[in-house]
Amino acid sequence: MKEMLVSVSEETTMGVKRLYQMQANGTLLFSEETTTLLFDNLYGFRHSLPDGLMRATDITIAGKIAVDCGHGDVGRGCAAALKAVGARVMGTEIDLICALQALTEGIPVLTREDVVSEAGLFVTTTENADIIMVRHMKQMKNAAIVCNIGHFDNEIDMLDLEAYRGIKRITIKPQTDPWVFPQTRRGIIILAERLLMNLGCPTGHPSFVMSCSFTNQAAALHLGKPGDKFRKLTPEQAACIRVPAEGP
C-alpha cells in the first residue's frame, strides 16, 4: 500500500496552533501558516471589519473611540482599518512585544477597566477566553458596539448575558442585537451573537486575500495579479544569507 501524502491548510491562527501540535507529534508534513498569519489575519480583517460594521449598523466610525482587544496580527489589521477611517483606537494587551508594537503605531495600551465606559466600539481579537464579561458590558455607554473577530465564541460572555435577570434582547436584523439592562435601561449592540463578525455580518475576506492565504506553495503565481514583478537571488546572494535562490 502506497504511503499517502497529507497536507494541512488551516483557516485561522488557532488553526496554526493546532499545526504546532501536529508538528510536535510528528504528523505534520508541511503547512501554510506563514501566509495565513500575514494575509488572512492582517489584510483580510483590515478589509472585512469595517465592511461588517457598516453593513450591520451603518455607523459612522470616524471620531469613535474603538478598543482593539489584542494587538497581534488580527488586532493590527483591525486597528489599521479603524484608524484609516478616523476612529480613535486604543488597545489592550498582555504581550510585551505586541504592546510595544501598538505604542509605536500611536495606539495607547490600557486595560479594559480604563476604557470600558468611554469607548463606543469593542473588537475582540485575542483567540482567548473571557475577554469581555457582563460586568464590562454593564459599564459601557449606551449603544456601544461589541463584536468578536478573534476565534469562535469564547471571547464575549454571552452565556451570562443571556441569563442576566431582566435583560431584554431587541433584534434589529439578523446578526445585529441590542441588549438592554433593566437597571440602567442602557443597551449595548452585539454583532453576530459573539461569533466571528467578519463572517456573520459582511461576506468574509476578499477572495484574493484568501487565495494568497491558502496557497503558500504557489504564492509566486499571485504576483502577476497586481502587476508586480518578483526577482530571484543570485547564487552568491543566496549563499550569503543561507536561503534558496527562490527566496526564504
Side-chain angles (χ1 to χ4, degrees):
M1 183 175 181
K2 293 183 178 180
E3 184 178 351
M4 183 178 295
L5 180 64
V6 179
S7 67
V8 178
S9 177
E10 69 290 334
E11 296 182 13
T12 66
T13 308
M14 185 60 75
V16 172
K17 294 175 182 177
R18 299 291 179 257
L19 295 187
Y20 287 147
Q21 294 174 352
M22 294 175 65
Q23 185 179 40
N25 63 30
T27 59
L28 177 68
L29 299 180
F30 63 89
S31 76
E32 299 164 359
E33 65 185 70
T34 301
T35 43
T36 290
L37 289 171
L38 294 177
F39 286 92
D40 191 359
N41 289 351
L42 184 58
Y43 303 118
F45 289 109
R46 197 169 68 180
H47 174 95
S48 59
L49 172 63
D51 184 22
L53 288 171
M54 289 182 281
R55 288 182 192 239
T57 65
D58 291 321
I59 63 166
T60 299
I61 301 174
K64 285 190 179 298
I65 296 177
V67 179
D68 174 25
C69 299
H71 199 70
D73 291 304
V74 174
R76 280 194 288 276
C78 293
L82 293 169
K83 287 181 69 175
V85 292
R88 294 175 287 167
V89 181
M90 299 180 179
T92 66
E93 250 306 332
I94 53 89
D95 182 272
L96 173 62
I97 300 303
C98 291
L100 288 172
Q101 287 178 314
L103 288 173
T104 55
E105 293 165 7
I107 299 172
V109 178
L110 302 167
T111 68
R112 291 167 296 181
E113 289 69 25
D114 291 327
V115 298
V116 68
S117 61
E118 298 181 26
L121 171 63
F122 297 83
V123 184
T124 59
T125 71
T126 70
E127 298 187 340
N128 209 333
D130 303 336
I131 305 304
I132 294 182
M133 311 301 289
V134 169
R135 68 178 183 273
H136 301 124
M137 301 179 202
K138 289 175 64 177
Q139 300 176 58
M140 292 178 183
K141 65 199 306 185
N142 191 46
I145 297 170
V146 179
C147 61
N148 170 44
I149 207 165
H151 183 69
F152 294 118
D153 62 353
N154 59 351
E155 301 204 33
I156 299 171
D157 184 18
M158 287 297 294
L159 294 179
D160 285 341
L161 182 65
E162 291 168 352
Y164 192 90
R165 186 172 181 178
I167 195 78
K168 185 177 181 180
R169 175 180 179 175
I170 306 168
T171 300
I172 296 176
K173 59 183 178 181
Q175 311 294 329
T176 306
D177 300 302
W179 294 75
V180 181
F181 289 96
Q183 297 90 342
T184 61
R185 296 187 179 179
R186 293 203 309 264
I188 60 169
I189 301 173
I190 303 285
L191 301 185
E193 300 185 54
R194 82 178 174 176
L195 300 173
L196 295 173
M197 68 84 70
N198 63 302
L199 299 179
C201 298
T203 56
H205 295 343
S207 59
F208 179 67
V209 168
M210 298 307 294
S211 183
C212 288
S213 181
F214 295 150
T215 55
N216 190 31
Q217 283 76 29
L221 297 177
H222 287 85
L223 286 168
K225 179 71 174 180
D228 294 324
K229 295 181 179 179
F230 187 67
R231 65 176 295 270
K232 296 182 180 180
L233 297 171
T234 66
E236 293 77 15
Q237 289 173 324
C240 182
I241 60 174
R242 299 181 181 180
V243 300
E246 292 77 16

